[in-house]
Amino acid sequence: MSESVGRKIATVTGWNIIEQPRISNGKSKLQKNFSKYCQIAKREAVLLIVDMDRPSKACPCPVALIEEWTGGNAIPPGMFFRIAVREVEAWLLADHEAMRNLLGGQPKLSSDPDNMEDPKRELLNLLKRVKKYVRDDVVRVSGSNLFQGVGYNAVLEKWVNDTWSPERAAQRSESLKRAFYRLHG
Amino acid sequence: MIVTRLLLRNWRNFIEVDIPLHERTYLLGANASGKSNLLDVFRFLRDVSKSQGGGIQKAMHDRGGIQKVRCLHARNDPEVRIEIHLSESLDTPSDWRYILAFRNEARGEHRISVSSEEVFHNDDRLLLRPDKEDTEDPARLTQTAMEQIQANLRFRSLAKHFEGITYLHLIPQLLKFGDRIGGQLLEGDPFGQGFLERVAREPKHIRDSRLKKLGESLSWVVPHFHELRFIKDRATGHPHLEARYVHHRPGAGWQREDQFSDGTLRLLALLWILYEGDSLLLLEEPELSLNNSIVQQIPLLFQRVNRDRKKRPRQILTSTHSEALLSNEGIDPRGVLLLEPEKEGTSIRTINEREAALLRDGFSVSEVLLPAIALETAKHLSAI
């Protein structure tokens, strides 16, 4: 999901995206390869989006996360290292117009998604409202629990690409706003 | 109807198995752990129940006799036992229960002899064998009641369900070069050689509407894929599928199935079969020859075709090695079965509590379960 969001932001801000095969997937793998991405960033621009996730003792805020990943070393100028607070789903929820387009009707949407406890859960709850045709793809209900469905990524990635606007979403998410303007230069 | 539970004793490399099945079940295990052997139980039940050329003697003969089927580790127990539970849906208690146990005749021709056969419907016992007549005439035990029209009247729907079980492990080359290979078609067409004839047999309006939907699903995962049509060769009368791709020059011709990529052809056959029947569908490694980004969407393709079917969803049991397929975080972990080779045979289990917790934390099935299987394989390799 972060990959699609990154692509969209980069496209909107006028980056020239080099089709790079996905090198690694998942936060821990990204962290493991962080120094290699910094090497790349010496030659070309690299956009790295990482979910903040739940704050922990070791990592209470985005600054601490950056500190943890860089080990205190300077980040090369070509590296755009952005943290989604708490996760990239909050950025999706921040574009109300696109959300209404996806969900239909007048869903109740948060005006401060960056401060949500669990944005993904919130998004899944909202997705329960979509028309049945799409709903079975994107959410899976198991007992009283709600999980992502087999088409969650496919459907939302398409929606990010077609409908979601980082400019609109940046108006409600501080972390996205920073990412967006940093990239805009 | 869907199969909700399976119990086995001494079947191939399983001494004892008791597993639940879901609407979509994925079988995971190292090479040679017995995934295909497990799928074979269902093919066996189908072979027994077939109204044409079926029966337990033939089904066992085709498998090389009971000595090939019975678990090697079952030293003292000569009997193979299968018990299967079925119900209308996952949430309802099981309506049907079928038990079949057999062994070799101790004397004479050493034919397969049914040592017990039982059918329950909503806890009513409809059949219990051996019965009095069997005791009087032991030759009757060389046939199951399931395979006999005269005997299966009260559980005919069960026999029909077994008969409708489909197994698919499409080998594209057999289809593409069928004319030149000239191979004989195996019963039940497990390798998809007769796939085009299958398509040809459907009435035109059903075929056309199905191909249209298939084309839509394919265009969604296969880059540039545009549309699909069925034609019969004017000269030879052979059925063919043709596809058009959007990047072709306007007016560029249609491509025949022998020009399709192996992966496209497999995907096409797989989706077609999903539309076709109502009974359990057994798939062997659907990920073969497909790009990972497509493989990742296989669970969604299953879901969409099942939704588009006018009838109830088709139950699917899939064996897979694919990290990409299992990285889809939407997979219901209750439908995942793990085959674990042990000293004596293989055991099968569902995910345990620790693994369930990891999955709840947001890890995918591939991240949680594949490392254990890789470890198993590594242990094996290091012993070489």
Side-chain angles (χ1 to χ4, degrees):
Chain A
M1 184 69 67
S2 300
E3 186 179 332
S4 309
V5 169
R7 271 175 193 281
K8 182 68 183 256
I9 297 173
T11 312
V12 170
T13 49
W15 279 36
N16 179 18
I17 304 174
I18 303 168
E19 285 299 326
Q20 173 71 49
R22 184 183 302 193
I23 301 172
S24 51
N25 204 356
K27 194 171 168 182
S28 58
K29 280 190 199 158
L30 283 173
Q31 185 175 4
K32 210 177 90 193
N33 284 330
F34 184 69
S35 60
K36 293 181 201 159
Y37 290 121
C38 286
Q39 283 301 324
I40 300 176
K42 288 177 184 165
R43 301 188 301 274
E44 52 198 59
V46 173
L47 170 60
L48 187 63
I49 298 174
V50 176
D51 288 347
M52 171 67 212
D53 292 329
R54 226 158 273 225
S56 62
K57 241 187 197 155
C59 192
C61 63
V63 178
L65 191 139
I66 293 174
E67 184 74 23
E68 189 192 330
W69 280 44
T70 58
N73 296 321
I75 300 174
M79 167 63 91
F80 296 81
F81 184 21
R82 307 310 316 177
I83 316 286
V85 180
R86 299 237 164 114
E87 47 194 350
V88 79
E89 274 81 358
W91 289 4
L92 304 185
L93 288 165
D95 180 357
H96 287 190
E97 196 179 318
M99 281 313 292
R100 276 197 285 271
N101 188 301
L102 174 71
L103 302 168
Q106 293 291 326
K108 204 166 157 269
L109 297 166
S110 163
S111 55
D112 186 13
D114 273 18
N115 278 322
M116 259 177 201
E117 259 310 298
D118 192 344
K120 183 159 176 187
R121 181 128 313 277
E122 180 66 28
L123 182 55
L124 284 173
N125 270 317
L126 286 166
L127 285 170
K128 271 198 307 192
R129 302 166 48 112
V130 300
K131 50 182 190 268
K132 188 168 181 342
Y133 193 71
V134 184
R135 188 175 59 221
D136 293 343
D137 286 353
V138 289
V139 292
R140 173 168 60 83
V141 183
S142 170
S144 58
N145 295 317
L146 203 56
F147 298 95
Q148 77 175 60
V150 287
Y152 178 87
N153 283 328
V155 169
L156 286 178
E157 280 169 10
K158 186 170 184 323
W159 168 80
V160 163
N161 194 31
D162 298 347
T163 315
W164 181 76
S165 153
E167 287 140 304
R168 278 195 309 253
Q171 293 164 15
R172 286 192 194 85
S173 160
E174 189 57 31
S175 65
L176 175 58
K177 192 170 160 187
R178 287 180 187 209
F180 191 69
Y181 287 108
R182 174 87 167 77
L183 259 70
H184 235 331
Chain B
M1 253 196 284
I2 78 167
V3 179
T4 52
R5 190 174 167 200
L6 175 74
L7 297 98
L8 299 174
R9 197 185 308 140
N10 295 338
W11 176 268
R12 296 204 186 256
N13 58 335
F14 308 105
I15 297 183
E16 197 88 52
V17 161
D18 179 357
I19 45 169
L21 269 87
H22 272 254
E23 271 165 3
R24 264 152 276 171
T25 308
Y26 297 93
L27 286 181
L28 276 58
N31 281 319
S33 61
K35 296 187 289 296
S36 306
N37 284 347
L38 188 72
L39 295 184
D40 193 45
V41 179
F42 298 100
R43 300 171 71 189
F44 171 72
L45 286 173
R46 179 200 58 199
D47 293 348
V48 167
S49 315
K50 265 192 302 211
S51 49
Q52 282 186 339
I56 191 169
Q57 300 299 329
K58 168 109 180 18
M60 256 314 127
H61 179 263
D62 288 349
R63 283 167 176 75
I66 197 166
Q67 53 275 31
K68 290 276 172 64
V69 167
R70 196 169 65 90
C71 184
L72 290 172
H73 306 286
R75 294 182 190 88
N76 305 320
D77 186 358
E79 186 184 78
V80 178
R81 186 176 186 279
I82 300 167
E83 176 173 343
I84 184 167
H85 298 211
L86 300 98
S87 73
E88 271 317 311
S89 78
L90 266 185
D91 312 316
T92 54
S94 87
D95 309 325
W96 291 98
R97 204 139 52 92
Y98 179 61
I99 299 165
L100 175 63
F102 51 91
R103 58 179 79 198
N104 256 357
E105 282 178 326
R107 284 184 294 273
E109 297 170 55
H110 295 287
R111 289 171 300 187
I112 304 294
S113 169
V114 173
S115 41
S116 110
E117 188 180 18
E118 295 174 69
V119 178
F120 293 86
H121 184 224
N122 297 330
D123 289 329
D124 294 333
R125 193 198 294 274
L126 304 184
L127 177 80
L128 174 64
R129 296 181 68 198
D131 54 18
K132 200 165 141 266
E133 287 169 290
D134 292 328
T135 325
E136 284 165 9
D137 177 14
R140 289 169 54 95
L141 290 171
T142 59
Q143 289 190 334
T144 62
M146 192 57 80
E147 73 199 64
Q148 300 172 55
I149 299 278
Q150 299 92 325
N152 70 15
L153 177 65
R154 296 180 70 194
F155 44 92
R156 182 88 35 89
S157 59
L158 201 54
K160 284 270 167 239
H161 192 81
F162 290 157
E163 198 182 346
I165 290 173
T166 317
Y167 171 86
L168 181 70
H169 183 24
L170 184 106
I171 298 172
Q173 283 69 21
L174 286 180
L175 191 74
K176 287 182 178 175
F177 305 105
D179 295 349
R180 274 178 271 172
I181 297 172
Q184 93 189 83
L185 207 63
L186 297 181
E187 251 182 87
D189 191 23
F191 306 120
Q193 277 162 288
F195 171 61
L196 291 172
E197 281 75 22
R198 232 173 156 127
V199 176
R201 270 200 302 272
E202 288 292 339
K204 186 175 181 309
H205 67 284
I206 294 181
R207 183 174 59 223
D208 288 350
S209 101
R210 212 179 269 172
L211 285 177
K212 188 163 170 266
K213 283 185 198 154
L214 281 188
E216 282 163 17
S217 302
L218 280 178
S219 67
W220 175 67
V221 289
V222 178
H224 309 302
F225 190 92
H226 185 50
E227 55 182 323
L228 200 60
R229 73 174 182 193
F230 173 86
I231 58 147
K232 269 197 170 150
D233 191 296
R234 280 204 196 124
T236 63
H238 285 312
H240 290 286
L241 282 175
E242 293 188 329
R244 199 151 53 168
Y245 292 78
V246 278
H247 64 278
H248 284 177
R249 307 183 305 279
W254 292 72
Q255 279 192 3
R256 277 222 174 145
E257 75 280 344
D258 52 0
Q259 290 168 295
F260 291 3
S261 78
D262 288 358
T264 308
L265 207 49
R266 292 196 97 227
L267 206 55
L268 188 74
L270 188 157
L271 296 179
W272 177 274
I273 297 223
L274 254 180
Y275 273 113
E276 210 174 46
D278 294 316
S279 197
L280 176 64
L281 173 60
L282 310 164
L283 293 176
E284 196 98 69
E285 301 180 21
E287 67 266 21
L288 292 181
S289 338
L290 286 170
N291 180 289
N292 274 352
S293 58
I294 298 179
V295 173
Q296 220 166 9
Q297 303 307 342
I298 286 179
L300 179 58
L301 281 172
F302 285 173
Q303 153 101 4
R304 291 208 167 156
V305 172
N306 262 337
R307 182 189 59 202
D308 286 345
R309 281 165 55 97
K310 298 232 166 57
K311 299 167 279 187
R312 52 173 307 137
R314 187 161 194 187
Q315 188 179 17
I316 310 172
L317 178 55
T318 310
S319 78
T320 180
H321 281 291
S322 169
E323 198 171 336
L325 195 157
L326 298 165
S327 71
N328 187 318
E329 285 174 42
I331 290 177
D332 188 342
R334 292 172 304 172
V336 174
L337 294 173
L338 248 88
L339 281 76
E340 296 181 319
E342 287 167 351
K343 235 183 188 159
E344 304 246 302
T346 292
S347 66
I348 312 181
R349 66 170 178 89
T350 52
I351 57 160
N352 60 34
E353 272 181 35
R354 189 186 155 271
E355 289 156 352
L358 289 171
L359 291 165
R360 277 196 301 275
D361 288 340
F363 289 99
S364 67
V365 172
S366 80
E367 287 168 308
V368 175
L369 297 176
L370 290 186
I373 293 167
L375 197 68
E376 191 61 47
T377 310
K379 268 194 273 175
H380 229 66
L381 291 174
S382 67
I384 293 173

